[in-house]
Amino acid sequence: QQPVQSPQAVILREGEDAVINCSSSKALYSVHWYRQKHGEAPVFLMILLKGGEQKGHEKISASFNEKKQQSSLYLTASQLSYSGTYFCGTEGGDTDKLIFGTGTRLQVFP
Amino acid sequence: DTAVSQTPKYLVTQMGNDKSIKCEQNLGHDTMYWYKQDSKKFLKIMFSYNNKELIINETVPNRFSPKSPDKAHLNLHINSLELGDSAVYFCASSHLGQVHEAFFGQGTRLTVV
């Protein structure tokens, strides 16, 4: 079952903040976050393991609520380089398959 | 040195043809994947494969078959290509287990005409 991300798209001005949510209908063992720029391959940002873990990457951080089967990605003081499509990737406890969410397109303008 | 490489980068072919996409990784990973990214940008897993197990997404037509000659390669064979197969196909690899990041190849844009 594919995780659902919200919002589907975000438009920001440089310096603004954004939150991207990822919600799964299945119990999760871990959540990955990736960014894909136009015409390129997805690139890994971070992994969060169950247990309320929070991680950070530059001014991008994320949280994982295992009980709610949700993760959120926080982009602070966005830069032009943040533009792209963000995917969460989830792994359940019974499989090594990395299933990606529906994606959130983020555009940052000057 | 490219970590995960796919060839070709672009592939244009006619309906009904059979084609292959090659993938190689030099990261020493033991798990490899194929993903299909359609025009809506959804990344759908097609296969995951490690030394011991091939896991097939049940929605993948049996015209698609992965072939792994060794741990470093996972090729994708597609028979009787259809218009709906047009998409970008990504190969990825990771260490076995659930806590390791996946590294992606640059993608193969397949266009069926």
Side-chain angles (χ1 to χ4, degrees):
Chain A
Q1 199 76 10
Q2 186 175 31
V4 176
Q5 291 181 229
S6 62
Q8 290 185 351
V10 184
I11 298 175
L12 298 173
R13 292 238 179 246
E14 258 187 307
E16 292 182 337
D17 303 339
V19 180
I20 299 172
N21 299 303
C22 173
S23 182
S24 173
S25 59
K26 296 179 70 173
L28 301 177
Y29 182 88
S30 66
V31 178
H32 299 219
W33 284 96
Y34 291 76
R35 177 171 60 208
Q36 183 180 28
K37 292 187 179 285
H38 182 69
E40 299 180 7
V43 174
F44 171 80
L45 293 176
M46 64 190 80
I47 290 178
L48 300 99
L49 302 180
K50 62 183 180 180
E53 185 172 14
Q54 295 190 356
K55 282 265 181 95
H57 174 81
E58 300 172 345
K59 291 185 179 178
I60 301 173
S61 61
S63 63
F64 178 23
N65 188 322
E66 179 193 350
K67 287 184 179 177
K68 291 186 177 180
Q69 296 166 186
Q70 292 175 345
S71 178
S72 295
L73 188 72
Y74 308 93
L75 298 103
T76 306
S78 58
Q79 305 168 17
L80 295 176
S81 61
Y82 286 4
S83 293
T85 302
Y86 288 79
F87 292 96
C88 65
T90 60
E91 294 172 299
D94 60 346
T95 175
D96 287 340
K97 284 194 297 184
L98 179 59
I99 308 295
F100 285 96
T102 47
T104 297
R105 187 176 178 187
L106 183 82
Q107 288 182 282
V108 181
F109 290 96
Chain B
D1 247 2
T2 305
V4 182
S5 60
Q6 292 178 230
T7 53
K9 189 171 181 180
Y10 299 98
L11 184 54
V12 181
T13 187
Q14 290 186 326
M15 281 175 58
N17 283 351
D18 302 338
K19 289 294 178 185
S20 296
I21 305 172
K22 295 185 177 181
C23 178
E24 175 182 5
Q25 54 94 5
N26 62 6
L27 298 168
H29 290 162
D30 37 34
T31 301
M32 296 183 74
Y33 311 84
W34 277 105
Y35 288 90
K36 177 182 180 181
Q37 187 168 45
D38 58 24
S39 57
K40 293 182 180 178
K41 301 299 183 185
F42 292 146
L43 264 172
K44 294 184 180 176
I45 189 166
M46 301 177 71
F47 307 100
S48 68
Y49 184 80
N50 59 40
N51 283 343
K52 301 175 186 176
E53 192 176 15
L54 172 66
I55 301 174
I56 301 173
N57 185 330
E58 59 275 8
T59 66
V60 175
N62 57 16
R63 297 181 294 104
F64 291 80
S65 58
K67 298 272 193 289
S68 180
D70 55 57
K71 243 176 70 164
H73 297 83
L74 184 65
N75 303 323
L76 183 64
H77 296 268
I78 316 170
N79 294 325
S80 303
L81 278 155
E82 300 177 356
L83 293 176
D85 297 333
S86 296
V88 180
Y89 292 84
F90 285 101
C91 173
S93 73
S94 71
H95 285 296
L96 185 64
Q98 297 169 324
V99 297
H100 300 290
E101 65 183 276
F103 290 81
F104 283 79
Q106 77 273 28
T108 296
R109 181 173 291 278
L110 172 66
T111 303
V112 183
V113 297

